[in-house]
């Protein structure tokens, strides 16, 4: 069997820090409210010199260096983002222009679930023998679409990028199972109007047009608790494992209460759950690869560990997967591509 091991990882966040105290000066809110309802204390926000391209490219360079390969050796780049710098051309091509090479380059739109969807996409190419080296990037700059006077959304989001390199191996490493799902009917609970082919010519023609992220927080919360728990449990079952086999849950960082509910569903003690939402807020498609990067840097991950990635978000979509950590057998595969 051919698998897609994660052999490189990287992350990048903007320098600018926006604390809850800063938000207290912008809207009627309090550090106490934000921390108790979400777990967030601060987030990173793009400045004039940052972009989805610059953050994505910085994370990608780190991941390539860690994997010990160059961009020229990549067969495919998959970028998960809902905040591309532009729609034509793809975000993947814009990042490729920065890092080099001629790999196939495609974007994947699954909002906050995007990284797990993209990991699945990249892994499928390797497992099918179509690719040997794939770069998967999760990057978002959602603060560009935040109405800073709306306290129901402005407290939640931050910007960032994370990337991983996938490489072929004959050992069971990388994604062992995947659960992807969506409820398109729920699209109206979390979305950014406009900016697409339906974009109104002017606000006068379309008085409801507001180019900012719109969210029904309570509805998304209810959906998230169920989607995270159900899909994570299903991914563990599909991998042929028990909850007790899981070494670390690396969840999408949207709300610490949602993360706690997912951990309870898998019977996991808190030391087996990676949480960094306090420092980054919700970075959308970047949140899982950033959390993965920090978990590895802290020494929390060992060769052969079983990790669970699980995410939910706009769509409304969800995604989960069991990942066996480590690089056993990489380079030993003689399968084509
Ligand atoms: C947004 C969220 C934190 C709100 O928490 P909540 O416990 O549901 O709070 P509610 O929306 O019920 O609001 C409770 C009260 O706090 C108020 N409130 C809302 N935002 C506030 C803020 N930033 N500061 C202070 N008060 C606030 C509300 O107006 C409401 O007041 P009221 O009771 O007088 O009407 C929560 O619903 C959530 O996390 N939802 C999921 C969102 C998400 O993850 N989105 C991204 C998906 S990828």
């Amino acid at each position: 069997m051919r698998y897609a091991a994660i052999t490189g990882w990287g992350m990048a966040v903007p320098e600018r820090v926006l604390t809850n105290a800063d938000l207290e000066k912008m809207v009627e809110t309090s550090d106490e409210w934000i921390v108790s309802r979400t777990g967030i204390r601060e987030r990173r926000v793009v400045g004039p010199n940052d972009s989805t391209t610059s953050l994505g490219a910085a994370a990608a360079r780190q991941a390539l260096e860690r994997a010990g390969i160059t961009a020229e050796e990549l067969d495919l780049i998959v970028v998960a983002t809902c905040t591309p710098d532009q729609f034509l051309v793809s975000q993947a091509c814009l990042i490729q222009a920065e890092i080099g090479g001629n790999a196939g380059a495609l974007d994947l739109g699954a909002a906050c679930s995007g990284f797990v969807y993209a990991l699945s996409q990249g892994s499928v190419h390797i497992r099918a023998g179509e690719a040997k080296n794939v770069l998967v990037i999760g990057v978002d700059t959602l603060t560009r679409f935040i109405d800073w006077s709306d306290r129901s959304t402005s407290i939640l989001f931050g910007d960032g990028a994370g990337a991983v390199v996938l490489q072929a191996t004959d050992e069971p490493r990388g994604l062992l199972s995947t659960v992807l799902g969506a409820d398109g009917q729920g699209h109206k609970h979390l979305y950014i109007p406009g900016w697409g082919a339906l974009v109104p010519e002017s606000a006068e023609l379309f008085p409801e047009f507001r180019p900012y992220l719109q969210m029904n927080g309570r509805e998304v919360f209810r959906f998230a608790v169920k989607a995270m728990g159900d899909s994570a449990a299903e991914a563990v079952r599909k991998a042929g494992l028990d909850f007790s086999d899981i070494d670390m849950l690396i969840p999408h960082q949207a709300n610490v209460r949602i993360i706690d509910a997912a951990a309870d569903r898998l019977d996991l003690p808190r030391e087996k759950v990676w949480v960094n939402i306090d420092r980054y807020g919700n970075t959308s498609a970047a949140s899982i690869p950033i959390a993965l990067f920090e978990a590895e840097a802290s020494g929390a991950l060992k060769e052969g560990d079983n990790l669970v990635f699980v995410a939910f978000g706009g769509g409304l979509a969800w995604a989960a997967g069991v990942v066996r950590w480590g690089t056993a057998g990489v380079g030993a595969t003689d399968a084509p591509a």
Side-chain angles (χ1 to χ4, degrees):
M1 277 276 272
R2 194 175 152 100
Y3 294 90
I6 296 177
T7 60
W9 42 92
M11 65 167 276
V13 288
E15 272 180 25
R16 188 175 158 217
V17 177
L18 187 75
T19 65
N20 290 350
D22 296 327
L23 281 162
E24 282 175 358
K25 293 178 204 135
M26 297 158 68
V27 286
E28 201 182 321
T29 191
S30 67
D31 176 58
E32 193 279 327
W33 193 97
I34 300 172
V35 173
S36 64
R37 299 285 175 128
T38 70
I40 302 167
R41 294 181 187 278
E42 60 185 42
R43 67 288 289 142
R44 300 300 184 95
V45 174
V46 280
N49 297 323
D50 301 310
S51 64
T52 301
T53 304
S54 69
L55 292 171
R61 283 192 194 97
Q62 268 184 30
L64 288 166
E65 195 182 333
R66 181 76 192 221
I69 64 167
T70 64
E72 285 70 23
E73 294 173 83
L74 292 171
D75 303 303
L76 182 68
I77 302 172
V78 188
V79 177
T81 187
C82 60
T83 51
D85 284 332
Q86 58 196 53
F87 288 113
L88 186 68
V89 297
S90 72
Q91 186 58 58
C93 282
L94 293 175
I95 291 175
Q96 189 189 58
E98 296 291 316
I99 64 174
N102 293 109
L106 68 94
D107 285 6
L108 192 151
C112 296
S113 310
F115 179 75
V116 183
Y117 266 78
L119 194 64
S120 165
Q121 181 78 23
S123 300
V124 164
H125 276 264
I126 287 180
R127 295 183 68 155
E130 297 287 332
K132 203 163 182 180
N133 301 321
V134 175
L135 175 64
V136 175
I137 303 171
V139 55
D140 269 310
T141 52
L142 268 172
T143 69
R144 298 258 199 239
F145 299 90
I146 290 297
D147 173 359
W148 291 107
S149 67
D150 175 2
R151 68 178 184 173
S152 71
T153 54
S154 60
I155 59 157
L156 293 176
F157 296 95
D159 303 319
V164 297
V165 170
L166 302 177
Q167 292 189 270
T169 173
D170 294 331
E171 295 293 320
R173 291 293 181 275
L175 262 186
L176 303 184
S177 69
T178 313
V179 174
L180 305 178
D183 171 12
Q185 300 292 332
H187 70 92
K188 56 186 176 291
H189 297 312
L190 179 53
Y191 66 104
I192 301 172
W195 304 124
L198 265 182
V199 69
E201 290 292 328
S202 77
E204 291 106 73
L205 279 176
F206 294 85
E208 287 157 36
F209 178 62
R210 294 186 75 226
Y212 298 122
L213 185 141
Q214 314 285 319
M215 187 182 73
N216 179 339
R218 281 181 209 183
E219 204 56 53
V220 174
F221 190 94
R222 252 196 303 277
F223 154 76
V225 167
K226 182 161 169 29
M228 291 269 276
D230 287 357
S231 59
E234 172 73 0
V236 174
R237 192 191 62 71
K238 270 178 88 172
L241 300 176
D242 293 322
F243 295 161
S244 57
D245 298 321
I246 300 308
D247 299 293
M248 186 71 74
L249 172 67
I250 302 191
H252 173 47
Q253 311 279 317
N255 185 315
V256 80
R257 293 185 289 149
I258 296 170
I259 293 172
D260 284 346
D264 288 347
R265 177 68 189 276
L266 299 184
D267 285 333
L268 288 181
R270 290 304 174 271
E271 62 270 18
K272 289 190 173 186
V273 183
W274 197 264
V275 177
N276 62 3
I277 190 173
D278 50 322
R279 287 175 293 122
Y280 300 117
N282 180 347
T283 56
S284 188
S287 86
I288 289 180
I290 289 176
L292 176 71
F293 181 94
E294 294 200 332
E296 195 283 334
S298 79
L301 308 183
K302 305 183 303 297
E303 175 77 33
D305 273 359
N306 293 314
L307 317 179
V308 173
F309 295 173
V310 60
F312 71 96
L316 295 168
W318 59 88
V322 170
V323 169
R324 184 153 303 151
W325 185 249
T327 56
V330 170
T333 181
D334 50 10

